[in-house]
Amino acid sequence: MASSSLLSEEQLLCSICLDVFTDPVTTPCGHNFCKNCLAGYWDSSDHCQCPMCNKSFEMRPDLSINTLISETAAQFKQSVQAHTSNTTERNACADTKVLCDACTGVKEIAMKSCLNCGACYCMIHLEPHKNIQNLKKHKLINPVENLEDYICKKHERPLELFCRDDQICVCQFCTEGDHKNHNTVPIEEANEELKACLKKTQAEVQHLIQERLEKTEEIKHSLELSKKSTEEEISEGVEVFTALIHSIERSQAELLELMEEKQEVVERQAEELIQELEQEITVLKRKDLHLEQLSNAKNYLQKIQIYSSMWSPPHTRNWTEVSINPDRSGKTLRTSLSHLYKQLNNEMQNKCKLKQRSRQKAEAFNYFNVNWTQLLLLLFLPVAVFIPMSKAIWIQIYAVDVTLDPDTASNFLILSEDGKQVRSDEYEIMNAPYNPKRFINDPYVLAKESFSSGRFYYEVQVRGKTEWDLGVARETINRYNEVYPDYNDGTWSLIRRPGNDYRACAGSCIRVTVKETLERVGVFVDYEEGLVSFYDAEARSHIYSLTGQSFTEKLYPFFSPGFAYEDVNTPPLIIYDGYKYLITLKQFFSRVTVQRWF
């Protein structure tokens, strides 16, 4: 592009930065450069020479700004900026496609719209608004088609102000009438505020978009983890079911072998009985023949003598009590397996329903968490009845979760926060508030849970203790006086006293013998049968049973860690919960089925 000045565009370019001169200086050889460009060039070189002609200077010249070239370069820059601005403005106006209202014939594209004149003007017809003083005061905006929307319909004046109270655009006359005392600002200022608000809102929207993109990635990652977890579950499930099938097949073979052996025993017994019966029949027939012959004899004197000498009762067994009962264990097994099949079928249907709902809601990924160990135990349990096992293990089917009740604990006792441990301390006495449930004189505490029917079982660790009481107590036990296990005080317990002295107490105490010092004790209660049994939970062996008891009230698990003295008997009683999975196991079997296995 050519400049209107005497210098051309090429003459106004610095040969170092290739841009229009900034603070131009002239070297003694007559060449022009930007002051900073020439100084930087000389600073980086060992010799002072002209970048154009390479003329050397003995001393670095002291250069001043060339005023003529500087002014010419400044005019050139302004001309370029104005041209660029006009070009951009024309392009923007061309995009709006608003035509000039003053043009006749072929209409040019409008550059501005005048709110005072109510018309749109092209570059040529806009000149009066730039040169005439009165027209310079008119409000010019970018060209718009619906120019009437920018004019106040009441006063026919430009909408130059924005009313913050009513959130509308108004003219100057409106501020003297309906909007006299309202908070108004120039529409440009309101526009800037709107831009800032839009920028802030846009930032918030972009932040929300970013959050949702991150959440999308998180869900995708969770989906991958779920897929991997599901594949692992499937693999583990296949392994478990394969092992389960082999175990069941092996158990089936053992069961069939056992049944066949039982049948062989029965058949052998039956054959022996039949053989013995046939022998007795032969003897009786021979006796019958002799009697027949004797009855036909005519000499009655001889008949009497012979009968008296030969008659004696036949040596035979009393067969009225001899019988062979069919084995009903097969029927019991079928009943148990049928019941188990129904239970598992219901469980699987529930899992499928849960799976379907989870898919519909898409709220969870790991919905089908199978405890394969429990499933294996559940499936194999009915078959295991034919494998000899300790009754103490089956008692655990009735395991319950027991927690100590602090409202009943004596002030001599200290309970853990989770209610699973209790101990005594000779140097520490609790100052608990009064409660009618609390034991006053003895170190006793009851559980929160009570039972008035059925069966239940719990275990307590007594390791390291020399004195303790465990069992159950009726609800109306006297809590104000001393408790005497060897008196009819409403407790059924197993107690230990110093000297490895163990006793079972229910109104009176009976000394019991244990092979080894007890470390974990199990307590089993059958409410309807009036039975309280105690087990060595470590050795899985029976200790003693209190039978023939009569329960008419609620029963509470009953604990006493005994008194601690001189660092003796300080360990706590700890309610054992390592068999909690058996509590879940109960939900899959009815008690009728379990009772048949005992």
Side-chain angles (χ1 to χ4, degrees), residues 387-398 455 457 459 524 526 529 531-537 539-545 547 582 594-598:
I387 301 176
M389 298 184 69
S390 170
K391 183 176 179 180
I393 298 178
W394 296 111
I395 288 294
Q396 290 184 340
I397 294 292
Y398 298 99
R455 299 174 174 181
Y457 174 82
E459 292 181 5
F524 172 73
D526 189 328
E529 294 293 332
L531 172 67
V532 180
S533 297
F534 304 98
Y535 293 87
D536 183 346
R540 292 290 185 265
S541 61
H542 176 255
I543 300 174
Y544 191 82
S545 292
T547 60
L582 288 171
V594 176
Q595 290 171 11
R596 298 178 69 96
W597 296 343
F598 273 67

Side-chain angles (χ1 to χ4, degrees), residues 231-262:
E231 291 175 352
E232 293 176 355
E233 288 287 346
I234 291 174
S235 177
E236 292 176 1
V238 171
E239 292 180 3
V240 170
F241 273 106
T242 302
L244 175 62
I245 292 172
H246 292 163
S247 177
I248 291 178
E249 289 176 349
R250 185 168 56 253
S251 299
Q252 181 186 19
E254 294 175 358
L255 176 62
L256 294 177
E257 183 179 356
L258 176 62
M259 289 301 197
E260 290 174 356
E261 290 177 357
K262 286 184 178 181

